[in-house]
């Protein structure tokens, strides 16, 4: 443990369980259903409603080798190529091997996917895939269907759920093992105020951290709460510098901030073209797959073309689809575009890259165990080694399914016993004023967005330091004293994770995947085909280490990382 925690009131109520799952997307609900089915008392804590997380916003689908002639080996190959040399092959092999069965079990749970004329599951293709292997629902509403099915299953199973609750910190017992979480229920639900769920197994499934940037496809609840909690609890995080910027996000005008509408990769998978204002396709010749290249390639291609043309957006042209295809295959995207005055049937869609998916997160092994005993992580909050430097399209929902089942199996086999909670203990972190959130986001977009350099990252690091409560100067953090509350806790979480992200991006002096350094434009396998791992030291400083290979080391039975294949740690003077 770091001895660091959020400033918050002491818990005023508590409940007991065998497992507490934090998050209600595909990863969290799948874990909870499997644990409950095995007879474990399971509590689901979610920040808003059960169906309000990132899963329901997923448009494209779930990748799995379900089609005739497709194999897990081919899926593995495409994933490794997209990950640009940083995927942990054992993790990818687990993903693609377990994937088809996990998707079928999701269908047995009640998810209804689109079918072909012969009644088989319809498959489409997305960027980086050499075969049509993406299952989808409602045309472009896959996440909504997955969320519906899982939420209905959770309610049918009468699982104990706590909605509108922000998780705060990890509880531990006298041996330092997980003993539950503290949380704050936001005025609604069964309880109000700060309380605790006591449980010997905690599963973080809190989703992404897109709100660390000013423009993102992520919902407003994606404020990196799980990664921040894990860091304060002493867990390691890895690959945080690899933030995937989705190439085709509906451009709403210069300066647009907050959640932006996504235009799914599946639109390009069905044959839409990326063009400039003159109608010229610019991805042809840049990659053998043109518009269907991996996302980092496409995002860079769009950004380069915007720089060349001196504009802030490009276009996605699907006019040749015709009205019927738009209405049947992409009804959600069609409605979103039309709500903003754009008709894809008759005009190209203005698009620009925006923060979309975190390939990094809380470091885990193949059973979802973190470096803190009893703490698990699953889905976007986790770093399993599957994605490497760039996630292959539609592997995210699959990762949530596959590793949720693996986590549940490990918990059921282990049947951890509860120890008496003695944490959180230690020094409370001064809270960031709520209005500082926007300053963090703008700093990150300017300095650590699609294009990065030593200069931009150094500037971002300095600006983030100025925002830290107690820093010298007249930054936003000095505007007024922050009191405990949801907005202050979220802003504090965002600042901590932003500083770790920038520290990792500064350390990785190369361009790889979705980490694009203008001053270091080449990939350097000899020096950088390895992972950066970060944790908080007892003094609150960042401790960085670099693995010797692209493989993730195992986690031993006590939860401590296997450091046999790591290099010397490098502390920094920074505090959270």
């Amino acid at each position: 443990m770091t001895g660091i925690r959020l400033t918050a009131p002491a818990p005023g109520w508590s409940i007991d369980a065998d497992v507490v799952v934090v998050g209600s997307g595909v990863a969290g609900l799948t874990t909870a259903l499997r644990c409950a089915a095995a007879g474990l008392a399971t509590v689901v804590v979610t920040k808003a409603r059960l169906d309000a997380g990132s899963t329901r916003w997923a448009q494209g689908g779930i990748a799995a080798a379900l089609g005739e002639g497709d194999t897990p080996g081919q899926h593995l190959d495409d994933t490794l190529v997209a990950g640009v040399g940083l995927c942990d092959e054992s993790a990818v092999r687990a993903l693609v091997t377990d994937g088809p069965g996990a998707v079928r079990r999701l269908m047995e749970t009640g998810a209804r996917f689109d079918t072909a004329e012969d009644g088989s599951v319809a498959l489409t293709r997305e960027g980086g895939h050499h075969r049509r292997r993406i299952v989808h629902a409602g045309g472009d509403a896959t996440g909504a269907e997955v969320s519906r099915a899982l939420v209905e299953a959770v309610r049918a199973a009468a699982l104990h759920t706590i909605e509108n609750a922000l998780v705060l910190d990890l509880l531990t017992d006298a041996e330092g093992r997980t003993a539950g979480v503290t949380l704050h229920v936001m005025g609604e639900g069964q309880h109000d105020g700060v309380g605790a769920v006591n449980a010997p197994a905690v599963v973080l499934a809190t989703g992404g951290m897109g709100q660390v940037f000013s423009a993102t496809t992520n919902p407003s609840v994606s404020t990196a709460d799980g990664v921040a909690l894990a860091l304060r609890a002493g867990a390691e995080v890895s690959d945080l510098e690899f933030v995937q910027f989705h190439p085709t996000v509906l451009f709403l005008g210069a300066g647009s901030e907050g959640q932006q509408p996504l235009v799914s990769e599946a639109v390009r998978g069905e044959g839409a073209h990326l063009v400039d204002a003159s109608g010229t396709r610019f991805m042809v010749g840049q990659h053998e797959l043109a518009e269907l290249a991996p996302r980092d390639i496409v995002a860079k291609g769009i950004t380069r073309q915007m720089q060349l043309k001196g504009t802030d957006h490009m276009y996605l042209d699907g006019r040749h689809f015709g009205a019927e295809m738009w209405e049947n295959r992409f009804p959600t995207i069609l409605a979103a575009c039309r709500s903003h005055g754009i008709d894809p049937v008759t005009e190209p869609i203005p698009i620009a890259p925006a923060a979309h998916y975190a390939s990094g997160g809380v470091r885990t092994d193949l059973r979802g165990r973190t470096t803190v005993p009893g703490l698990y992580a699953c889905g976007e909050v986790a770093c399993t080694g599957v994605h490497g430097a760039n996630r292959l399209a539609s592997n995210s929902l699959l990762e949530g399914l596959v590793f949720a089942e693996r986590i549940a199996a490990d918990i059921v086999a282990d049947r951890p016993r509860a120890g008496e909670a003695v944490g959180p203990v230690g020094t409370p972190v001064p809270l960031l004023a709520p209005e500082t959130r926007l300053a963090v986001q703008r700093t990150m977009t300017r300095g650590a967005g699609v294009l990065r350099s030593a200069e931009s990252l150094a500037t971002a690091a300095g600006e983030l330091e100025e925002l830290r409560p107690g820093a010298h100067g007249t930054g936003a953090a000095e505007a007024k004293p922050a009191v405990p509350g949801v907005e202050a806790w979220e802003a504090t979480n965002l600042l901590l994770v932003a500083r770790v992200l920038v520290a990792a991006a500064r350390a990785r002096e190369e361009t790889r995947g979705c980490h694009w350094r203008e001053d270091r434009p080449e990939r350097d396998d000899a020096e950088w085909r390895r992972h950066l791992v970060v944790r908080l030291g007892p003094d609150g400083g960042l401790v960085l280490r670099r693995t010797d290979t692209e493989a993730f080391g195992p986690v031993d039975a006590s939860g401590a990382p296997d450091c046999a294949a790591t290099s010397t740690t490098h502390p920094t003077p920074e505090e959270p």
Side-chain angles (χ1 to χ4, degrees):
M1 298 293 292
T2 63
I4 299 169
R5 60 182 176 87
L6 288 174
T7 299
W13 53 268
S14 66
I15 58 176
D16 296 327
D18 296 319
V19 184
V20 56
V21 177
V22 186
S24 61
V26 62
L29 295 188
T30 300
T31 305
L33 286 166
R34 297 293 184 272
C35 288
L40 297 177
T42 304
V43 174
V44 176
V45 175
T46 188
K47 195 173 179 181
R49 303 183 314 277
L50 277 179
D51 64 350
S54 294
T55 290
R56 75 182 181 102
W57 295 100
Q59 295 173 346
I62 307 176
L66 296 167
E68 184 178 353
D70 197 5
T71 65
Q74 294 175 66
H75 189 182
L76 180 144
D77 289 343
D78 285 345
T79 300
L80 294 179
V81 169
V84 200
L86 271 192
C87 295
D88 181 285
E89 187 167 337
S90 62
V92 178
R93 195 170 299 280
L95 178 82
V96 300
T97 303
D98 294 359
V103 172
R104 293 187 182 100
R105 286 185 288 277
L106 178 61
M107 295 167 67
E108 292 169 1
T109 301
R112 298 187 292 267
F113 296 110
D114 296 340
T115 57
E117 291 182 0
D118 63 0
S120 62
V121 175
L123 299 173
T124 190
R125 186 178 165 201
E126 295 183 359
H129 293 272
H130 283 80
R131 284 192 174 271
R132 298 177 74 91
R133 65 166 65 99
I134 316 299
V135 300
H136 50 85
D140 58 356
T142 307
E145 171 58 18
V146 170
S147 180
R148 179 206 63 77
L150 290 172
V151 168
E152 286 188 7
V154 163
R155 288 175 174 157
L159 264 66
H160 189 158
T161 61
I162 304 175
E163 296 182 288
N164 303 296
L166 172 64
V167 69
L168 300 177
D169 278 305
L170 193 72
L171 293 167
T172 57
D173 62 19
E175 284 72 46
R177 183 180 173 85
T178 293
V181 292
T182 56
L183 63 153
H184 173 79
V185 181
M186 296 176 273
E188 300 179 31
Q190 183 176 349
H191 305 285
D192 195 8
V194 174
V197 179
N198 301 314
V202 172
V203 182
L204 296 178
T206 52
M209 57 184 193
Q211 290 292 328
V212 79
F213 295 95
S214 57
T216 178
T217 63
N218 290 193
S220 60
V221 295
S222 298
T223 52
D225 307 311
V227 175
L229 176 150
L231 281 164
R232 288 191 298 271
E236 292 184 337
V237 302
S238 186
D239 296 355
L240 230 60
E241 67 270 33
F242 296 115
V243 176
Q244 187 177 79
F245 286 76
H246 198 288
T248 54
V249 176
L250 184 62
F251 180 72
L252 300 180
S256 294
E257 296 180 324
Q259 185 179 9
Q260 311 287 301
L262 177 66
V263 181
S264 170
E265 186 126 353
V267 177
R268 281 176 283 135
E270 295 292 352
H273 301 146
L274 286 165
V275 299
D276 59 22
S278 67
T280 301
R281 290 177 65 184
F282 54 85
M283 284 304 300
V284 176
Q286 292 198 38
H287 191 277
E288 62 172 343
L289 296 177
E291 284 92 352
L292 286 177
R295 288 181 179 175
D296 64 311
I297 304 295
V298 179
K300 291 172 187 175
I302 292 171
T303 303
R304 287 192 185 104
Q305 196 70 7
M306 292 191 319
Q307 291 176 326
L308 180 65
K309 298 293 184 179
T311 184
D312 48 15
H313 64 283
M314 287 285 120
Y315 296 91
L316 185 64
D317 192 352
R319 289 176 291 178
H320 53 287
F321 288 174
E324 183 178 355
M325 182 172 176
W326 274 109
E327 291 165 0
N328 294 328
R329 180 67 177 87
F330 301 113
T332 306
I333 297 168
L334 179 64
C337 290
R338 285 178 170 170
S339 71
H340 291 283
I342 300 154
D343 188 353
V345 177
T346 60
E347 60 185 318
I349 304 169
I351 54 88
H356 181 57
Y357 188 87
S359 292
V362 185
R363 176 178 170 250
T364 75
D365 65 9
L366 296 184
R367 289 183 280 175
R369 300 182 301 174
T370 75
T371 51
V372 174
L375 179 66
Y376 297 79
C378 189
E380 191 173 355
V381 71
C383 185
T384 62
V386 159
H387 304 304
N390 184 44
R391 175 179 67 100
L392 180 65
S394 287
N395 269 356
S396 53
L397 292 179
L398 185 71
E399 183 191 31
L401 282 173
V402 166
F403 285 89
E405 293 186 342
R406 286 173 163 260
I407 286 172
D410 192 71
I411 294 172
V412 170
D414 188 37
R415 296 275 174 170
R417 290 180 293 178
E420 183 177 354
V422 296
V425 297
T427 305
V429 175
L431 299 179
L432 211 62
E435 59 268 24
T436 310
R437 172 173 176 161
L438 190 58
V440 172
Q441 293 169 327
R442 289 175 175 172
T443 288
M444 292 299 290
T445 294
R446 285 193 305 267
V450 178
L451 297 177
R452 301 168 178 176
S453 67
E455 182 179 1
S456 76
L457 291 165
T459 298
E463 291 177 357
L464 294 174
E465 173 65 18
E466 284 297 310
L467 293 175
R468 184 174 57 85
H472 298 293
T474 57
E478 306 299 323
K480 67 177 183 179
V483 297
V486 172
E487 293 180 342
W489 289 321
E490 286 183 334
T492 303
N493 286 340
L494 285 171
L495 178 61
L496 171 58
V497 173
R499 297 179 71 202
V500 175
L501 191 161
V502 168
R506 293 181 75 184
R508 181 173 290 279
E509 296 180 332
E510 66 158 356
T511 288
R512 182 184 298 269
C514 48
H515 173 64
W516 188 6
R517 287 279 298 259
E518 291 181 286
D519 58 322
R520 300 279 184 168
E522 302 301 322
R523 169 178 160 181
D524 182 358
D525 279 353
E527 187 71 17
W528 287 108
R529 192 175 178 185
R530 56 198 70 185
H531 301 274
L532 283 170
V533 180
V534 185
R535 63 178 174 84
L536 288 186
D539 62 349
L542 303 184
V543 181
L544 286 82
R545 66 180 177 89
R546 187 166 56 171
T547 63
D548 283 343
T549 72
E550 72 277 11
F552 268 30
V555 175
D556 68 25
S558 68
D562 176 3
C563 295
T566 63
S567 59
T568 307
T569 59
H570 301 282
T572 76
E574 298 183 339
E575 296 178 1

